[in-house]
Amino acid sequence: MILVTGGAGFIGANFVLDWVASEKSPVANLDKLSYAGNPGNLVSLKQDARHIFVKGDICDRTLVGQLLREHKPAAIVHFAAESHVDRSIHGPAEFVQTNVIGTFSLLEEARAYWSTLAAPEQDRFRFLHVSTDEVYGSLGRDDPAFTESTPYAPNSPYAASKAAADHLVRAYHHTYGLPTITTNCSNNYGPLQFPEKLIPLMIVNAAQGKPLPVYGDGLNVRDWLYVGDHCAAVRLALRRGRPGETYNIGGNSEKTNLEVVNAICAILDEFRPSSLIPHHSSLITYVKDRPGHDRRYAMNAGKMAAELGWQPAERFETGLRRTVEWYLDHMDWVENVTSGAYRNWLHLNYADRGQA
Ligand code: NAD
Ligand code: TYD
């Protein structure tokens, strides 16, 4: 048994589905079902006894302690987080609560549970903390990619809250010997991503003939990784990663935001030719920039390759096509997740940006 947190969100749900498809051991999935968590992501596991869903908060230490004693997991894989930079700018408190206090609560309960295990189980136990490249700050155009020894320099409240969590995880290994592993990954894309992040937002807006809001000059660079490749990397790090270590995971696929949006538009021109919108790129609208917007992220994933033999399997071009196809085929899923609360968010984030 493993305990996954945040397994109803984008990456967590892909991880749980992948785990059940390829591993024998069952998964307990603790998720509070925030706006980003959707039990519909796991509907295919409804009849599968190897998936146990628990609705709850990682900050609820009584619940976490009970779950650990009841299920006796061999590992915790910790995805649960507030994950959207723009939301962290509008409301950082939730980010400190879940990402910092939540991770602390989980670490405390994990430590208490781990200390009751016999020595061989203690050695085998893993606390795998899923983190981000954003903890390293922003790169200049010609700077080398982030490595595991790049100093932390988080710039957004989201990045700072993840950095704080990473430091706590590190300290629990150093001080108490808890067998932790931290993975820092670049931007993910793929099925089941909530349409507030760049790629799904642009696909959904373009499919609906709505403006495509590009922040600033659109030349910020992100290193894109297909979500299935991230899940495979996490499984590998869980199995073969060394306790106390951190591993950078990246797609080796740096793109400007404009390149990404134009690529989505070209795929839609092909899949959804329309006389009203012959070129979906005509929907691109430059809007006011994000405050403190990091210019460039790039990951050096050489340690994952050298130590664990991991490489991304999906190329950006093919992964993006698969992703656009998935969204076009699942507009009912999009309808379900884009509730009134989603429309309120669009208003809060985009109404005052105007055109740049
Ligand atoms: P997401 O926002 O799609 O999902 C987060 C999930 O966590 C949701 O299901 C939500 O309900 C749950 N959750 C939130 N607060 C909770 C709490 N207090 N208790 C229990 N559950 C809670 O996020 P995602 O994009 O799937 O990201 C998952 C993890 O991966 C995060 O830790 C994020 O920092 C990290 N990460 C994401 C990316 C990316 O590109 N999306 C890249 C690198 C790292
Ligand atoms: P996002 O998906 O929010 O991920 P992150 O900020 O964590 O990297 O944004 C990716 C990039 O896309 C980032 O440079 C901000 C930009 N962006 C836009 O230009 N317009 C948008 O509407 C959104 C959501 C993001």
Side-chain angles (χ1 to χ4, degrees):
M1 165 69 84
I2 61 164
L3 173 66
V4 168
T5 71
F10 164 48
I11 306 173
N14 275 286
F15 180 84
V16 167
L17 292 168
D18 194 40
W19 182 275
V20 171
S22 38
E23 304 277 340
K24 291 202 178 68
S25 49
V27 191
N29 181 356
L30 173 63
D31 195 300
K32 84 168 182 187
L33 298 182
S34 74
Y35 76 93
N38 178 3
N41 293 345
L42 302 161
V43 73
S44 62
L45 301 180
K46 218 167 179 176
Q47 308 298 335
D48 199 321
R50 285 178 308 151
H51 176 242
I52 299 158
F53 184 76
V54 181
K55 181 174 187 300
D57 194 320
I58 55 167
C59 301
D60 181 347
R61 287 184 53 178
T62 309
L63 172 66
V64 172
Q66 266 169 12
L67 282 175
L68 292 174
R69 285 189 298 276
E70 185 185 339
H71 296 297
K72 302 186 173 42
I76 297 174
V77 185
H78 176 34
F79 292 97
E82 290 294 332
S83 68
H84 189 29
V85 173
D86 291 320
R87 287 189 192 252
S88 82
I89 294 168
H90 287 283
E94 275 291 301
F95 286 72
V96 174
Q97 182 61 30
T98 283
N99 300 0
V100 187
I101 310 292
T103 302
F104 164 71
S105 306
L106 208 55
L107 281 165
E108 273 294 86
E109 290 306 318
R111 179 167 76 93
Y113 160 71
W114 175 74
S115 68
T116 66
L117 299 177
E121 278 83 54
Q122 281 199 343
D123 286 347
R124 279 198 291 272
F125 182 80
R126 294 288 180 273
F127 184 105
L128 192 146
H129 171 59
V130 178
S131 190
T132 167
D133 55 0
E134 305 195 22
V135 297
Y136 297 122
S138 183
L139 290 169
R141 202 187 57 184
D142 300 321
D143 289 339
F146 300 128
T147 68
E148 288 79 0
S149 55
T150 301
Y152 273 33
N155 287 322
S156 69
Y158 163 65
S161 66
K162 292 296 290 188
D166 293 10
H167 289 324
L168 282 168
V169 171
R170 174 190 157 86
Y172 272 63
H173 175 74
H174 190 82
T175 305
Y176 305 113
L178 190 71
T180 63
I181 289 171
T182 297
T183 55
N184 294 86
C185 189
S186 64
N187 286 61
N188 284 214
Y189 68 99
L192 303 177
Q193 187 168 30
F194 191 76
E196 63 184 354
K197 306 275 169 67
L198 180 75
I199 288 184
L201 180 101
M202 295 297 172
I203 297 172
V204 169
N205 280 17
Q208 297 173 343
K210 292 182 181 158
L212 308 178
V214 170
Y215 297 167
D217 61 6
L219 298 180
N220 302 67
V221 172
R222 299 292 184 262
D223 173 4
W224 293 97
L225 181 72
Y226 192 70
V227 65
D229 281 327
H230 186 188
C231 294
V234 169
R235 278 204 286 135
L236 206 54
L238 187 61
R239 179 157 299 127
R240 304 230 311 272
R242 286 179 295 137
E245 293 292 318
T246 68
Y247 294 90
N248 282 358
I249 303 170
N252 208 9
S253 182
E254 288 185 53
K255 307 276 174 215
T256 66
N257 294 337
L258 266 183
E259 285 173 325
V260 171
V261 177
N262 276 312
I264 292 168
C265 290
I267 298 170
L268 274 157
D269 290 348
E270 183 188 328
F271 288 167
R272 288 280 171 92
S274 144
S275 52
L276 286 178
I277 314 168
H279 299 292
H280 286 84
S281 57
S282 64
L283 297 169
I284 290 175
T285 312
Y286 291 92
V287 299
K288 197 159 102 200
D289 209 351
R290 170 189 281 172
H293 195 175
D294 283 340
R295 193 63 174 167
R296 174 175 166 241
Y297 304 140
M299 277 305 223
N300 178 335
K303 183 173 171 183
M304 278 295 295
E307 267 192 32
L308 305 182
W310 177 85
Q311 296 278 359
E314 188 74 65
R315 286 189 313 116
F316 182 72
E317 292 67 25
T318 48
L320 191 66
R321 273 182 95 79
R322 282 174 74 175
T323 305
V324 174
E325 267 179 313
W326 187 87
Y327 279 90
L328 294 181
D329 290 347
H330 292 83
M331 286 313 264
D332 53 336
W333 180 92
V334 172
E335 286 294 318
N336 269 335
V337 301
T338 49
S339 60
Y342 177 73
R343 284 190 287 280
N344 293 345
W345 162 249
L346 293 183
H347 184 75
L348 179 67
N349 193 42
Y350 294 98
D352 291 339
R353 285 186 190 269
Q355 299 216 182

